[in-house]
């Protein structure tokens, strides 16, 4: 006690007066007012942050043992798995962490769609989120190339060749990506550097994401603004505890895969070293790209297919202006709620189609699902907004919570 | 300097245009300078000299029988060399051009009709089409079939069905004698 009073506290005050880190942390992590009615769907943002840290840390220790050269990459990963102490653990945490990251972020995004978190005044928060998602896809794609297996090589071939569809400069872009006329050592080294760099960019984007979040604070299941102090509770201890509960559950799932099914998300072909002269009979991208891969394949024209695939992601940027209904939460939007679930099912269906070979009936189903995907954003959302009569949300969070309690009694 | 200041007040229009000129000149020099500084960086990601140096490959064709195909490596890429039979050549020449997404005469795809030489990389997204081995699936047109997204190529390597936009690429090559070809 004495020590802390006489030395530590004055020292902390001294620092805080010059560089207000402690008041900043108190303001944003402890006293920070948070809606008191958040449900478990609000855990996934902080979980994604935890996984980002796990990826950066395990990635660093993998990189120590990894050799970014076509002659050694495959065997250096095997060396890591067999010889390096706990190398298998680091690698399986990293490989499965990538999949977990996407699961968490997908849930996080669908949460935003359901509860209208992308609507004013949170449009930029949403847009930064989509930028993070794009950066994650780039990072994961480059990471998957590093073990230099057959799927690494041929996945990289197909995905980088997408850019050759760009008119006029397409082939130049591809040559830049490859640093040659085929995927080779130059490609591997630049992807390694890119894979190391991008997570740092993601980290900075996450800080901007948090900045935008703390401006207007969290949305909530009712989708109404926080108005009075009675609507909020301090972040600590209430949500630090709740986030930790979520983390425990998540770790059970995550390490369940790491320890008991470490290759569940992987492709057996990636345990065969890359061979530039043999294409595996069935190339599939990692599962998190499958819906977009299905969109690509459902169009029989290279350029339009590629445009549709990128549009599939980028249309999320425009969503705040497609769905302009003032009521945020789907709780009070009987029509939107049904179409939300249809859209969710459509995404799952696209993912399933993306994993199949391109034959009938999958091609036709894929085309219909692709059309529906775009129709959801371009036609259905604006139309619902026009014709739906939403229920009237409660005037405040407190009022809503009290009403729900009364109803339960 | 004092002159300048009094000029400004005496004749504001003239000094405005002089400022404009200085400003535009500065921006221009700055932009050109930035461009000059960026180019070496961009050019460094282009293929380096050692990659460009691997530019040609000699192939001895004498062991390749009629109806056989071989795959050789040129610039790290597979090149299909097929010794076509009379029947294959005739069939390829008989196809009407309007039946093709990327119309090209078979005559324009070979130097010697019996030797079909082309880069064995699907023009869709870069997979290697099947069809080199007798047991491979060859697609609906008897040539090559790309399993990745289902592109069918005919016996002249022309795209006939599927998402690939163009025919298989013909590399630059020349025959040094009847049975030796230099690719690249
Ligand atoms: C946004 C965070 C990240 C994601 C989504 C990600 C994703 C991936 C994926 C999917 C793989 C392939 C796993 C496999 O099948 O083996 C991989 C491999 C790798 N990553 Fe990352 N990564 C991230 C961050 C990092 C960081 C920050 C580093 C380095 C500091 C790193 C270093 C490596 C290395 C060396 C490999 C090759 C070893 C291996 O294949 O296991 N990663 N990454
Ligand atoms: S790469 Fe050949 S069909 Fe797509």
């Amino acid at each position: 006690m004495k020590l802390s009073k006489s030395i530590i506290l004055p020292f902390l005050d001294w620092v805080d007066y010059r560089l207000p880190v402690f008041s900043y942390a108190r303001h944003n992590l402890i006293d920070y007012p948070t809606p008191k009615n958040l449900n478990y769907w609000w855990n996934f943002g902080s979980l994604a942050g935890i996984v980002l840290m796990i990826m950066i840390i395990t990635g660093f220790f993998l990189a120590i043992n990894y050799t970014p050269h076509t002659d050694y990459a495959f065997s250096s990963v095997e060396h890591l798995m067999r010889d390096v102490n706990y190398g298998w653990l680091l690698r399986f945490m990293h490989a499965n962490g990538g999949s977990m990251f996407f699961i968490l972020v997908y849930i996080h995004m669908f949460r935003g769609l359901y509860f209208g978190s992308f609507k004013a005044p949170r449009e930029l928060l949403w847009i930064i989120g989509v930028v993070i998602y794009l950066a994650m896809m780039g990072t994961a794609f480059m990471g998957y190339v590093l073990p230099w297996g057959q799927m690494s090589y041929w996945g990289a071939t197909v995905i980088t060749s997408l850019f050759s569809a760009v008119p006029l400069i397409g082939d130049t872009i591809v040559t830049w990506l490859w640093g040659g006329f085929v995927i080779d050592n130059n490609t591997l080294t630049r992807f390694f550097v890119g894979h190391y760099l991008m997570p740092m960019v993601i980290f900075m984007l996450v800080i901007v994401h948090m900045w935008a979040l703390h401006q207007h604070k969290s949305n909530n299941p009712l989708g109404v603004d926080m108005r009075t102090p009675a609507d909020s509770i301090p972040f600590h201890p209430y949500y630090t505890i709740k986030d930790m509960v979520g983390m425990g559950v998540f770790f059970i799932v995550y390490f369940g895969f790491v320890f008991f099914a470490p290759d569940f998300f992987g492709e057996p072909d990636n345990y065969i070293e890359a061979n530039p002269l043999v294409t595996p009979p069935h190339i599939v991208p990692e599962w998190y790209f499958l819906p977009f891969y299905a969109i690509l394949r459902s169009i029989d024209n290279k350029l339009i297919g590629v445009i549709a695939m990128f549009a599939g992601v980028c249309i999320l940027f425009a969503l705040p202006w497609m769905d302009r209904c003032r009521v945020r939460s789907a709780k009070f939007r009987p029509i939107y709620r049904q179409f939300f679930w249809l859209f969710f099912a459509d995404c799952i269906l696209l993912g399933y189609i993306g994993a199949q070979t391109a034959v009938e009936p999958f091609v036709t189903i894929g085309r219909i699902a692709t059309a529906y995907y775009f129709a959801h954003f371009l036609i259905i959302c604006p139309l619902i907004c026009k014709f739906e009569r939403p229920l009237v949300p409660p005037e405040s969070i407190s009022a809503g919570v009290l009403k729900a309690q009364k109803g339960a009694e | 300097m004092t002159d300048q200041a009094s000029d400004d007040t005496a004749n504001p229009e003239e000094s405005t245009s002089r400022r404009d000129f200085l400003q535009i000149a500065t921006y221009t020099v700055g932009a050109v300078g930035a461009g000059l500084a960026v180019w070496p960086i961009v050019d460094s990601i282009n293929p380096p000299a050692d990659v460009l140096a691997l530019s040609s490959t000699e192939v001895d064709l004498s062991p390749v029988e009629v109806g056989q195909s071989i795959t050789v490596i040129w610039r790290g890429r597979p090149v299909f060399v097929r010794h076509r039979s009379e029947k294959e050549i005739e069939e390829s020449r008989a196809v009407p051009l309007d039946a093709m997404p990327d119309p090209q005469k078979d005559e324009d795809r070979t130097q010697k009709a019996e030797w079909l030489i082309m880069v064995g990389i699907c023009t869709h997204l870069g997979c290697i089409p099947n069809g080199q081995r007798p047991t491979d699936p060859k697609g609906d047109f008897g040539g090559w079939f790309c399993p990745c997204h289902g592109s069918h190529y005919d016996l002249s390597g022309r795209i006939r069905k599927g998402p690939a936009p163009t025919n298989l690429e013909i590399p630059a090559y020349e025959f040094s004698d009847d049975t030796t070809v230099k690719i690249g």
Side-chain angles (χ1 to χ4, degrees):
Chain A
M1 268 321 279
K2 238 181 159 184
L3 186 73
S4 77
K5 274 224 175 89
S6 59
I7 300 179
I8 299 179
L9 283 183
F11 175 70
L12 296 186
D13 281 345
W14 186 91
V15 171
D16 203 57
Y17 183 65
R18 285 154 183 84
L19 178 73
V21 274
F22 301 112
S23 9
Y24 188 84
R26 170 166 275 280
H27 182 72
N28 286 297
L29 292 171
I30 297 175
D31 298 341
Y32 179 68
T34 316
K36 65 180 179 185
N37 59 334
L38 297 188
N39 58 29
Y40 274 107
W41 299 115
W42 264 260
N43 277 54
F44 289 85
S46 74
L47 285 177
I50 291 167
V51 173
L52 176 62
M53 293 318 298
I54 291 178
M55 295 308 280
I56 291 179
I57 293 167
T58 53
F60 173 83
F61 288 97
L62 289 177
I64 287 176
N65 292 293
Y66 171 81
T67 313
H69 189 287
T70 46
D71 292 344
Y72 306 107
F74 186 80
S75 49
S76 76
V77 172
E78 283 309 306
H79 155 76
L80 202 133
M81 295 288 287
R82 293 154 198 249
D83 303 339
V84 174
N85 298 330
Y86 292 106
W88 57 270
L89 179 61
L90 292 170
R91 172 149 190 257
F92 283 147
M93 279 179 70
H94 198 79
N96 287 285
S99 282
M100 291 299 131
F101 203 1
F102 277 93
I103 292 178
L104 296 173
V105 166
Y106 280 136
I107 296 175
H108 190 64
M109 292 165 82
F110 277 114
R111 185 280 317 260
L113 291 180
Y114 188 86
F115 294 105
S117 304
F118 54 87
K119 291 181 185 176
R122 298 188 181 82
E123 300 97 322
L124 274 182
L125 176 61
W126 172 260
I127 286 173
I128 297 161
V130 180
V131 175
I132 293 176
Y133 172 52
L134 280 167
M136 275 172 64
M137 296 209 274
T139 308
F141 163 65
M142 290 190 286
Y144 193 60
V145 177
L146 302 184
W148 207 244
Q150 274 288 67
M151 278 300 162
S152 302
Y153 186 91
W154 291 102
T157 302
V158 168
I159 303 290
T160 49
S161 298
L162 290 176
F163 292 93
S164 69
V166 179
L168 303 180
I169 52 166
D171 288 328
T172 315
I173 297 179
V174 174
T175 311
W176 279 349
L177 288 172
W178 289 351
F181 304 106
V182 280
I183 295 205
D184 208 338
N185 201 43
N186 291 334
T187 325
L188 180 58
T189 44
R190 61 193 62 184
F191 279 19
F192 177 59
V193 174
H195 186 66
Y196 209 128
L197 176 68
M198 285 302 286
M200 310 303 147
V201 174
I202 294 176
F203 189 85
M204 288 187 265
L205 286 169
V206 168
I207 292 176
V208 181
H209 196 63
M210 292 296 98
W211 192 2
L213 171 70
H214 284 214
Q215 178 71 5
H216 290 286
K217 315 265 185 317
S218 294
N219 183 29
N220 62 79
L222 295 172
V224 296
D225 291 331
M226 283 191 285
R227 292 218 173 75
T228 64
D231 291 340
S232 71
I233 45 178
F235 191 80
H236 182 74
Y238 298 104
Y239 285 110
T240 38
I241 289 293
K242 190 165 178 171
D243 279 348
M244 276 162 73
V245 173
M247 188 171 100
V249 175
F250 167 66
F251 274 6
I252 291 173
V253 176
Y254 174 26
F255 286 97
F257 282 112
V258 169
F259 291 129
F260 299 106
D263 286 315
F264 179 81
F265 296 104
E267 278 293 322
D269 270 17
N270 225 26
Y271 284 104
I272 303 170
E273 190 169 1
N275 180 350
L277 296 181
V278 179
T279 307
H282 183 42
I283 299 190
V284 274
E286 290 278 82
W287 69 266
Y288 33 81
F289 295 125
L290 288 175
F292 302 108
Y293 195 59
I295 293 178
L296 168 79
R297 290 198 308 183
S298 66
I299 293 169
D300 229 3
N301 173 296
K302 181 168 163 181
L303 178 59
I304 300 176
V306 171
I307 291 174
M309 176 174 148
F310 283 105
V313 183
C314 291
I315 202 162
L316 291 170
F317 285 121
L319 182 61
W321 294 274
M322 297 278 136
D323 177 357
R324 311 185 65 146
C325 176
R326 289 296 191 86
V327 176
R328 292 195 191 105
S329 175
K331 237 188 170 117
F332 305 108
R333 302 186 61 193
I335 310 287
Y336 175 77
R337 191 163 63 223
Q338 294 169 32
F339 280 97
F340 167 87
W341 287 114
L342 264 179
F343 176 70
F344 177 76
D346 189 57
C347 291
I348 303 283
L349 178 64
L350 277 171
Y352 170 78
I353 295 291
Q356 309 305 315
T357 31
V359 293
E360 291 299 346
F362 303 122
V363 177
T364 309
I365 300 176
R367 289 196 176 135
I368 297 168
T370 298
Y372 187 80
Y373 180 92
F374 286 105
H376 177 81
F377 293 103
L378 298 173
I379 302 169
I380 297 174
C381 279
L383 280 187
I384 297 177
C385 181
K386 229 176 162 166
F387 295 109
E388 182 186 48
R389 309 222 113 267
L391 313 180
V392 182
E395 66 273 24
S396 76
I397 294 176
S398 302
V401 173
L402 285 177
K403 217 171 100 197
Q405 269 170 2
K406 281 227 184 75
E409 270 162 21
Chain B
M1 287 313 277
T2 41
D3 273 5
Q4 176 82 43
S6 55
D7 269 2
D8 275 358
T9 39
N11 194 344
E13 269 186 31
E14 197 202 30
S15 75
T16 316
S17 67
R18 194 191 300 176
R19 290 240 163 133
D20 283 351
F21 171 75
L22 285 174
Q23 220 169 47
I24 291 170
T26 313
Y27 286 147
T28 312
V29 172
V32 171
L36 286 176
V38 163
W39 175 245
I41 294 175
V42 171
D43 200 26
S44 79
I45 62 174
N46 270 323
D50 61 332
V51 171
L52 294 174
L54 301 169
S55 55
S56 70
T57 305
E58 288 239 326
V59 187
D60 175 14
L61 299 177
S62 50
V64 188
E65 306 280 333
V66 175
Q68 270 190 340
S69 297
I70 57 166
T71 306
V72 297
I73 310 268
W74 169 64
R75 282 182 164 179
R77 304 196 285 178
V79 171
F80 294 169
V81 179
R82 178 159 180 86
H83 197 167
R84 298 192 298 180
S85 64
E86 283 301 322
K87 187 166 154 274
E88 289 177 34
I89 299 169
E90 262 166 44
E91 269 177 25
S92 304
R93 303 206 157 168
V95 187
L97 287 189
D98 48 11
M100 302 171 201
D102 180 19
Q104 197 180 17
K105 281 203 250 170
D106 183 64
E107 288 87 333
D108 297 338
R109 292 180 57 77
T110 50
Q111 289 178 17
K112 294 183 190 225
E114 67 271 32
W115 293 107
L116 177 64
I117 301 178
M118 55 194 186
V119 177
I121 292 183
C122 180
T123 58
H124 182 227
L125 296 173
C127 293
I128 298 180
N130 292 326
Q132 285 295 85
R133 274 171 300 178
T135 50
D136 280 351
K138 294 185 165 52
D140 294 356
F141 301 87
W144 287 265
F145 171 68
C146 181
C148 289
H149 318 92
S151 288
H152 301 252
Y153 296 92
D154 67 11
L155 279 163
S156 187
R158 292 172 298 201
I159 178 68
R160 299 293 289 282
K161 194 176 137 193
T166 55
N167 303 332
L168 290 178
E169 185 191 334
I170 305 291
Y173 63 90
E174 62 188 32
F175 284 89
S176 14
D177 57 59
D178 265 359
T179 56
T180 316
V181 65
K182 193 168 138 233
I183 301 171

